Amino acid sequence: MVDNTKQPRNWFEQDGEAYARFRPEYPAELAEFLASVSPGRTLAVDVGCGNGQLTGLLAQHFDKVLGLDPSAAQLAHAAPHPRVEYGCAPAEHLPVADHSADLITAAQAAHWFDLPRFYDEVRRIAVPQGVVALVSYGVLQLDDALDARFARFYWQEIGPYWPAERKLVDSGYADLPFPFEALASPTLLISKAWTLEALLGYISTWSAVRSLREAGRDDILHGFAAELTQLWGEPGLRRVVRWPINMRVGKI
């Protein structure tokens, strides 16, 4: 018999290590596509890079990748790579030389930026005909009854605790201003075979979870975790979790 009274509380503890451990990884095809539309392979700048999930993939295609994030805690958990240099900096003030970046990316981060200032920086650091890509992944999808229970949790129970910027992610960045020459992008998907612990660990990294806990509504989290545990079966069973990848890609 599964004890649901204590375990969920540990699942919803947050720190930089949990973010690095549980966040879904982008497929190699994403970096391959971005490199294919870049005018060169000398320098890619990954802005709001977090713990370097996309940064490391880009390093397979570029001579150098600069990963920048304003959070030192996130950068502390970034995996090292010989062609990656990490730095602590905001999107609106990039420590990058003028007209030096072939590709500028922002993965699951652009909705937090002051976009006009970020775009000014993009134009400043990009090489002629450089490319900018705003990448996000949408709401996760599960199978059958699990998906229905998750949807109720996401849209109804925790929905009011998301910051307003989350709506931009839910819409696939379709509503973001994007003053660049649009480039077509492929249909891509993140797909993971996760245990229950991994899924709840991922959910624990959400900003809405932090807001909900600060509001004293841990009961919502633990109620959801208990019900999902019953639907899941054996906690160690791996089930497929999918996220659609959305992109706004443009030539500068």
Side-chain angles (χ1 to χ4, degrees):
M1 183 176 178
V2 178
D3 180 359
N4 294 322
T5 61
K6 296 181 180 179
Q7 193 173 15
R9 183 172 297 276
N10 293 331
W11 282 335
F12 293 115
E13 293 294 335
Q14 294 184 350
D15 56 30
E17 183 179 1
Y19 192 100
R21 178 182 176 191
F22 293 119
R23 280 280 161 159
E25 299 170 351
Y26 295 102
E29 292 81 2
L30 173 59
E32 291 170 4
F33 163 69
L34 294 174
S36 75
V37 297
S38 174
R41 304 287 182 94
T42 301
L43 176 64
V45 179
D46 189 23
V47 184
C49 68
N51 52 64
Q53 290 156 321
L54 179 57
T55 322
L57 290 177
L58 292 172
Q60 306 300 319
H61 303 277
F62 288 83
D63 296 338
K64 179 180 178 180
V65 182
L66 182 58
L68 301 172
D69 197 278
S71 171
Q74 291 288 342
L75 294 172
H77 295 283
H81 190 285
R83 289 194 295 276
V84 173
E85 177 184 332
Y86 290 104
C88 196
E92 300 80 11
H93 188 69
L94 303 175
V96 183
D98 293 357
H99 310 304
S100 62
D102 300 292
L103 173 71
I104 301 104
T105 60
Q108 204 72 355
H111 50 289
W112 300 117
F113 298 170
D114 180 330
L115 281 177
R117 293 174 61 197
F118 169 63
Y119 287 155
D120 284 345
E121 285 290 85
V122 165
R123 295 183 184 95
R124 179 184 65 80
I125 70 172
V127 301
Q129 301 296 298
V131 169
V132 59
L134 309 183
V135 181
S136 69
Y137 50 85
V139 181
L140 70 85
Q141 302 163 355
L142 299 163
D143 292 326
D144 305 325
L146 289 167
D147 198 57
R149 182 61 187 93
F150 172 78
R152 178 157 60 91
F153 172 71
Y154 183 86
W155 296 108
Q156 299 176 27
E157 295 173 351
I158 205 169
Y161 296 91
W162 282 109
E165 291 85 354
R166 179 68 191 186
K167 293 180 180 179
L168 298 171
V169 177
D170 291 338
S171 69
Y173 284 168
D175 299 325
L176 276 184
F178 194 71
F180 304 104
E181 178 186 343
L183 300 176
S185 58
T187 300
L188 297 175
L189 194 72
I190 299 173
S191 182
K192 293 291 178 182
W194 269 1
T195 63
L196 177 64
E197 179 184 6
L199 176 60
L200 292 176
Y202 161 67
I203 292 172
S204 79
T205 68
W206 291 356
S207 59
V209 167
R210 183 170 60 253
S211 296
L212 186 149
R213 297 188 72 191
E214 290 172 352
R217 293 305 311 271
D218 287 54
D219 59 300
I220 293 176
L221 297 174
H222 300 326
F224 167 68
E227 290 184 32
L228 202 67
T229 298
Q230 294 300 319
L231 293 168
W232 193 276
E234 285 295 321
L237 178 66
R238 291 186 176 272
R239 294 185 177 274
V240 176
V241 186
R242 299 172 295 274
W243 296 260
I245 295 178
N246 303 301
M247 283 181 275
R248 301 290 299 278
V249 184
K251 190 176 294 185
I252 302 159

